[in-house]
Amino acid sequence: MNVQFDVLKKSREIVVNMIDGLTMDQLHLVPKGFNNNIAWNVAHLVVTQQLLHYKLSGLPCLIPDELIDSHRKGTRPSKCFSQEEFQEVKELLMGLPDTLREDYRAGIFNGYEEYETSTGYVLRSLEHAITFNNLHEGIHLGVVMAMKKLV
């Protein structure tokens, strides 16, 4: 599993480095042909990881419910983050992979609610979810890369 944790951490470092230097306006611009923006995608990565790993394991998520409600699958940007709020989202993005690794090593995950993803892949364990989440993160990394060219 160490490789999976390393991949998650590295992909998030790439996202943060990619968006470094973008203005708040650029982060919130919805490019033509898209239904969300870079800021939403970054927050969506935080939310999805928490839902797939903690909620489906029967544990509380480590992020505010408001962030979950506004950035889970099926949502669209409904408001702009302030500079401070987006900084908090980036801190969660970078810090939560280490927390996941620590919690996994501590053995706090003791069950998993089976979940069929929108791709049709069924997650049957936390290990499946960790691996699948890395695929999900890669998809959104690609989206952020495309959006950055348009903002």
Side-chain angles (χ1 to χ4, degrees):
M1 286 307 299
N2 278 332
V3 170
Q4 295 297 335
F5 295 126
D6 292 343
V7 168
L8 176 59
K9 184 104 173 146
K10 185 62 178 177
S11 69
R12 289 184 171 197
E13 287 173 8
I14 293 168
V15 168
V16 169
N17 289 336
M18 184 179 308
I19 65 173
D20 187 42
L22 294 179
T23 66
M24 293 305 288
D25 286 341
Q26 288 173 309
L27 291 168
H28 290 99
L29 178 69
V30 177
K32 185 175 182 176
F34 290 87
N35 60 12
N36 51 48
N37 56 40
I38 292 172
W40 182 92
N41 275 274
V42 172
H44 177 70
L45 292 176
V46 171
V47 167
T48 301
Q49 181 266 318
Q50 287 290 294
L51 294 175
L52 291 179
H53 299 155
Y54 288 84
K55 182 174 171 111
L56 290 173
S57 292
L59 298 170
C61 293
L62 307 175
I63 59 175
D65 289 340
E66 301 80 38
L67 190 65
I68 294 171
D69 293 341
S70 58
H71 293 86
R72 69 185 325 143
K73 179 175 71 172
T75 64
R76 292 184 179 196
S78 57
K79 73 173 194 88
C80 291
F81 290 107
S82 69
Q83 185 79 38
E84 294 77 24
E85 289 169 332
F86 193 66
Q87 183 60 38
E88 290 175 17
V89 170
K90 288 194 309 186
E91 289 170 8
L92 290 168
L93 184 79
M94 293 309 298
L96 287 171
D98 291 332
T99 304
L100 175 64
R101 184 190 306 248
E102 292 165 10
D103 288 346
Y104 184 81
R105 286 181 178 161
I108 72 163
F109 298 99
N110 294 313
Y112 196 81
E113 179 183 332
E114 194 171 282
Y115 175 74
E116 184 175 347
T117 69
S118 56
T119 65
Y121 185 75
V122 178
L123 305 177
R124 292 188 169 87
S125 69
L126 176 66
E127 290 77 13
H128 287 170
I130 290 170
T131 302
F132 178 82
N133 185 67
N134 283 342
L135 168 66
H136 177 261
E137 300 251 343
I139 291 167
H140 285 276
L141 170 60
V143 170
V144 170
M145 291 171 77
M147 286 181 171
K148 184 178 178 183
K149 292 180 179 185
L150 301 172
V151 300

